[in-house]
Amino acid sequence: MQANSKPRFAIIGAGMSGILSAVKLKQAGLDFTVFEKAEKVGGTWRENTYPGIACDVPSHLYCYSFAMNPDWSYASSPGAEIQAYFEGVANRYEVEGSMRFGDAVTRCEWTGEEWEVETASGYSDRFDWVVAATGILHHPKYPDIEGLDSFEGAMFHSARWDPSVPLDGKRIGLIGNGSSGVQITGALAPRAAKFSLFQRTAQWVVPIEQVAYSEEQRAEFRRNPEQLQKLHQELDASFHEGFGNAVLDGKSEFFDTIEKTCTDYLEKNVADADLRAKLLPDYTAACKRLVISHDFFDSIQLPNAELVTEGIKRIESAGIRTVDGRLHELDLLVLATGFHVDAFMRPMTIRGHDGILLDDVWKERPSAYMSIGVPNFPNFFMLNGPNSPVGNFSLIRTAEMQFDYMMQLVEKVRSGELDNAMPTQQAATRFEEERTEAAKKTVWASGCNSWYLDDRGIPAAWPFPFSRFCAEMSEPKFEDFAAA
Ligand code: NAP
């Protein structure tokens, strides 16, 4: 690549981090194409349309730092509103003209000088940089339960909602009580004739008041953008620095406080002692991602609702048979059973320096230096990639910092200091060793099963203080990067 040239970027995915990349590249006057497999922007908010969907991260935190939204209806706004926000940002910053919709990237190959990117339709083009903005939670995980395909009613994953299936007055079964399952319970239990939630493990449910913003409050936010910015900063500090740091010490007293809050809420809001006992987890709070809800306990106590804790034996044509021999007859079965979280941008053939395949490098599990780059994959960066900070906070700030970090490497290449940029193997190994040791001490490793854990049971997440993440992202350690 020539020094000072105008590099071309391929961005994979038009979700939260893809739109972010497009806006920032456009503002920098750089050339880019966003490849999106679906027909419109939105990522997770386009894919997840289940009843009750909302973001449990406060809306005034869950937005770009450069595009505050004064018009959120609730502190925890509904999914459709968040989807509209992302569409609005893409529209306002006029980046959709550089997006190819309905065409998935199938192959990225480093030629020695640039990336050849090919799509399912056979289109191909060459780029200097590839940004994988593909998200984490997008490959639905179906439960491995005997007879799953024999069910004769309607059945789908929470992220593949079929809006044509009637819900009112139906017998609805739901497997899974994570963040998705709990939101679905709140929305569907009141509408079903019979609602059965199949719970394998109890969840810590943190109460949250559903605060609506009045028209006057929204008008005030519109008039006073500084107030909006201040609110964003306050929420950012409390979620990222407060909660984000507490999870790093599995024995922190912080969890006693959370457990007490949740237990008090359970005691006060669930009348029946047996049901309370079933809803009380036996592991440390925040070991799994905390579930946040204002209506779960009310919904599960409705006369037509049942919390089923007997294990599932098999699925039959008429419903779910539990190990006690009972058949729970159903018209609709919803699988809120989570996602395959180790795919990232795969399936995709990604061939780096010397023809090395990413699938081979990641044969055991995905790994990345600073969650951003992989040795032997020059000029290839990920947003919210492997081991990125995760938790009960906004992934948007993380992606913004990762993008700015990447751009500093882009500048090194543009200025001719480096021919291209990739983390060295030594830096990646050093980082991963330190990260793994720290991850073992976090609350996520304190004795529960969750999607945060890798195949070894080690949390696949950023296990250091959030302030360290901010510091690392503020300027790359350039000595940890080299050209291929
Ligand atoms: P999840 O947290 O992975 O939960 C999956 C649920 O399915 C768990 O209750 C799990 O039980 C259950 N399950 C899986 N396989 C099962 C089987 N074979 N038999 C019985 N139960 C089974 O998935 P999710 O609820 O979709 O949430 C995933 C992530 O998406 C969240 O952690 C969060 O990061 C994000 N999310 C965010 C929001 C938001 O408001 N910000 C909303 C929804 C989702 P076990 O606990 O026993 O494994």
Side-chain angles (χ1 to χ4, degrees):
M1 191 190 301
Q2 295 300 309
N4 298 318
S5 68
K6 267 201 166 184
R8 300 186 69 217
F9 292 77
I11 302 166
I12 309 175
M16 174 276 285
S17 49
I19 298 169
L20 161 76
S21 307
V23 170
K24 291 212 167 202
L25 288 170
K26 181 161 185 179
Q27 288 174 334
L30 294 172
D31 185 76
F32 64 91
T33 300
V34 180
F35 294 88
E36 170 54 56
K37 65 180 185 313
E39 298 300 332
K40 60 176 183 176
V41 303
T44 208
W45 302 103
R46 180 197 62 230
E47 306 268 299
N48 283 274
T49 57
Y50 58 77
I53 185 164
C55 185
D56 60 17
V57 174
S59 297
H60 290 102
L61 177 59
Y62 195 79
C63 49
Y64 298 118
S65 61
F66 55 85
M68 296 283 139
N69 179 15
D71 291 314
W72 293 119
S73 61
Y74 286 97
S76 183
S77 294
E81 208 174 304
I82 300 167
Q83 171 65 16
Y85 167 77
F86 285 117
E87 287 179 16
V89 171
N91 193 278
R92 185 152 27 112
Y93 288 86
E94 298 180 346
V95 290
E96 280 166 304
S98 304
M99 294 180 173
R100 284 182 65 90
F101 290 104
D103 204 5
V105 172
T106 51
R107 186 175 65 87
C108 297
E109 200 158 330
W110 177 251
T111 64
E113 288 191 341
E114 57 192 351
W115 284 97
E116 193 171 82
V117 173
E118 191 178 88
T119 67
S121 70
Y123 172 90
S124 84
D125 200 350
R126 291 184 170 218
F127 298 88
D128 302 293
W129 297 82
V130 174
V131 183
T134 47
I136 314 169
L137 302 161
H138 60 116
H139 294 287
K141 191 172 178 180
Y142 291 85
D144 184 14
I145 301 176
E146 183 195 332
L148 188 65
D149 293 335
S150 64
F151 181 59
E152 285 179 355
M155 180 177 76
F156 39 76
H157 189 274
S158 54
R160 294 286 179 274
W161 202 268
D162 179 350
S164 70
V165 172
L167 305 169
D168 294 300
K170 299 294 175 191
R171 296 165 303 174
I172 301 175
L174 169 67
I175 302 179
N177 59 332
S179 303
S180 305
V182 160
Q183 291 180 346
I184 293 169
T185 302
L188 287 195
R191 295 175 60 181
K194 167 88 186 158
F195 185 86
S196 310
L197 170 59
F198 296 84
Q199 169 187 291
R200 186 166 65 179
T201 314
Q203 291 274 5
W204 287 102
V205 180
V206 182
I208 186 174
E209 220 186 313
Q210 179 58 313
V211 179
Y213 289 104
S214 65
E215 184 39 49
E216 292 84 79
Q217 283 172 305
R218 294 187 230 172
E220 181 54 29
F221 281 137
R222 280 195 288 274
R223 266 194 304 274
N224 192 348
E226 292 80 31
Q227 193 187 337
L228 204 54
Q229 199 74 40
K230 190 163 165 273
L231 178 58
H232 181 79
Q233 280 160 1
E234 284 167 4
L235 289 166
D236 185 63
S238 69
F239 274 74
H240 288 102
E241 315 301 342
F243 178 80
N245 288 343
V247 292
L248 308 181
D249 172 8
K251 298 187 180 72
S252 163
E253 285 175 16
F254 181 81
F255 306 115
D256 298 340
T257 315
I258 297 181
E259 285 179 19
K260 177 146 185 6
T261 307
C262 298
T263 313
D264 286 352
Y265 179 62
L266 181 64
E267 295 278 334
K268 284 198 189 94
N269 290 281
V270 177
D272 181 75
D274 283 347
L275 182 60
R276 274 205 308 271
K278 288 179 179 175
L279 288 167
L280 186 66
D282 61 359
Y283 54 87
T284 307
C287 183
K288 289 169 181 278
R289 184 184 189 271
L290 287 167
V291 165
I292 296 171
S293 179
H294 66 281
D295 58 7
F296 175 63
F297 288 157
D298 288 345
S299 298
I300 202 64
Q301 289 180 92
L302 290 172
N304 63 323
E306 182 181 3
L307 181 74
V308 182
T309 53
E310 287 77 23
I312 297 173
K313 184 155 193 242
R314 63 173 173 265
I315 294 173
E316 301 181 0
S317 57
I320 293 184
R321 176 89 57 188
T322 42
V323 289
D324 55 358
R326 190 173 152 207
L327 176 67
H328 303 258
E329 289 187 271
L330 304 170
D331 302 309
L332 165 64
L333 174 55
V334 179
L335 308 169
T337 44
F339 298 86
H340 291 284
V341 295
D342 59 355
F344 294 95
M345 54 281 188
R346 298 177 292 171
M348 198 182 281
T349 303
I350 301 169
R351 233 176 241 289
H353 173 61
D354 266 351
I356 293 176
L357 266 176
L358 187 71
D359 274 338
D360 287 342
V361 177
W362 282 4
K363 200 164 48 203
E364 287 187 334
R365 70 195 64 87
S367 150
Y369 171 76
M370 292 291 156
S371 87
I372 271 230
V374 182
N376 288 310
F377 292 81
N379 292 8
F380 187 103
F381 290 98
M382 294 166 284
L383 302 178
N384 287 306
N387 312 320
S388 208
V390 288
N392 286 77
F393 49 73
S394 164
L395 297 188
I396 301 182
R397 165 114 186 267
T398 301
E400 287 190 7
M401 282 191 275
Q402 290 170 334
F403 187 86
D404 293 346
Y405 176 96
M406 180 194 81
M407 287 310 285
Q408 296 186 54
L409 292 160
V410 169
E411 286 313 313
K412 282 278 173 206
V413 174
R414 282 183 86 189
S415 68
E417 277 184 64
L418 278 174
D419 279 349
N420 51 63
M422 61 182 195
T424 64
Q425 188 60 60
Q426 197 189 16
T429 305
R430 186 194 67 225
F431 172 75
E432 185 56 10
E433 283 173 1
E434 193 197 353
R435 191 199 68 75
T436 306
E437 283 316 303
K440 290 177 188 165
K441 301 187 184 91
T442 60
V443 72
W444 307 309
S446 65
C448 70
N449 191 20
S450 81
W451 68 263
Y452 292 158
L453 303 180
D454 69 15
D455 56 305
R456 303 164 295 181
I458 298 174
W462 180 261
F464 309 115
F466 197 71
S467 55
R468 173 166 167 187
F469 184 74
C470 301
E472 296 275 10
M473 288 298 110
S474 67
E475 188 182 15
K477 291 190 179 94
F478 291 107
E479 66 276 19
D480 285 349
F481 288 85

